[in-house]
Amino acid sequence: EGRNITPTPSTGVVGLRPSVERLPKSHFCRVGDQVYLARLPMLWSGGVLSETRGEALRAFGSLEAAQISKFAQALRLLTDGADGSGDAISASRVVGKFGLAYALARMTLPGGLGVRVTSQDLADSRPELSTLPLRSSLFSEVSYEVVIVSRESESDILARWTKHGGNMASFHHLGSVVGESLEFADLLSLPIKEMKETYESGWTTAFKSLPARG
């Protein structure tokens, strides 16, 4: 119908842990933790942002089942703590629909903690999107991207990622967990409290607009 087909990273990433009860939390928990982006940049599109602009819908790249399987396996081994890393990983979230900015924003709401992302880290982590304006790249959709939050240094977690067979995908530092704001390079800085109030009021308005039944 002329609309984007949403990337579905969950098809290759569901089951990273033995049970959903043991999954790392999907929100920021500890100030000072480092935020990383594991990604398999095989297929990407302008996503919802392109759709709202009325632009032609295009996807770039292709998918390979074997690579996706290895990516999911490396993520499972990285996050399950069985290699002695314990609770080093405090949170993780599949990026998916609406892009990276949306995923990071959702990770701020439950715990009230934000993230600071620098323009250089953003450019290094998503090089194929470097020709796009920063705002566009933040909302571009890549099929297989996962945010990983850990107390580990970049060298330590990268060593574990490599050990667990993550060589087929890229793994980059993205930013750090901070106090009560969401900061994207020089583009924007939003107080978490205001974001949460806007989010909750939006849901309240949506539910009130639903037609009554019965």
Side-chain angles (χ1 to χ4, degrees):
E1 299 177 359
R3 300 181 63 186
N4 278 332
I5 298 175
T6 304
T8 53
S10 56
T11 58
V13 180
V14 163
L16 294 183
R17 302 292 286 272
S19 70
V20 293
E21 288 78 14
R22 293 184 58 198
L23 280 168
K25 293 181 177 64
S26 61
H27 62 269
F28 300 122
C29 307
R30 302 183 299 222
V31 172
D33 273 4
Q34 299 305 299
V35 182
Y36 301 96
L37 188 66
R39 59 198 310 267
L40 199 59
M42 305 174 74
L43 185 69
W44 65 276
S45 73
V48 173
L49 186 62
S50 292
E51 187 175 321
T52 57
R53 288 176 172 174
E55 297 173 353
L57 305 180
R58 295 180 297 170
F60 304 87
S62 60
L63 296 177
E64 297 178 24
Q67 293 289 76
I68 295 167
S69 177
K70 290 179 181 178
F71 181 61
Q73 174 74 356
L75 284 166
R76 182 186 66 77
L77 294 172
L78 183 75
T79 59
D80 66 11
D83 60 0
S85 59
D87 65 348
I89 304 293
S90 60
S92 64
R93 184 182 180 92
V94 173
V95 175
K97 190 172 183 179
F98 305 128
L100 182 61
Y102 177 78
L104 292 174
R106 287 300 302 269
M107 293 181 79
T108 68
L109 298 178
L113 296 178
V115 60
R116 179 180 295 121
V117 178
T118 69
S119 55
Q120 189 60 56
D121 280 334
L122 185 62
D124 290 345
S125 65
R126 308 175 100 204
E128 76 278 7
L129 304 180
S130 61
T131 58
L132 298 176
L134 181 58
R135 189 181 301 273
S136 296
S137 68
L138 284 171
F139 290 94
S140 293
E141 297 172 6
V142 179
S143 291
Y144 291 87
E145 285 188 318
V146 179
V147 175
I148 303 290
V149 187
S150 176
R151 64 162 58 102
E152 298 167 280
S153 68
E154 185 172 4
S155 59
D156 287 346
I157 195 171
L158 185 56
R160 286 206 301 124
W161 176 246
T162 303
K163 174 185 175 183
H164 295 316
N167 313 62
M168 91 302 295
S170 62
F171 197 96
H172 294 278
H173 184 262
L174 191 60
S176 56
V177 180
V178 295
E180 301 176 348
S181 62
L182 174 65
E183 304 173 20
F184 286 115
D186 300 322
L187 183 63
L188 58 85
S189 178
L190 299 172
I192 304 303
K193 183 179 179 180
E194 291 183 14
M195 287 178 53
K196 189 169 185 178
E197 289 173 350
T198 301
Y199 179 78
E200 292 175 349
S201 65
W203 275 110
T204 300
T205 301
F207 277 114
K208 285 182 177 178
S209 66
L210 293 174
R213 289 190 174 185

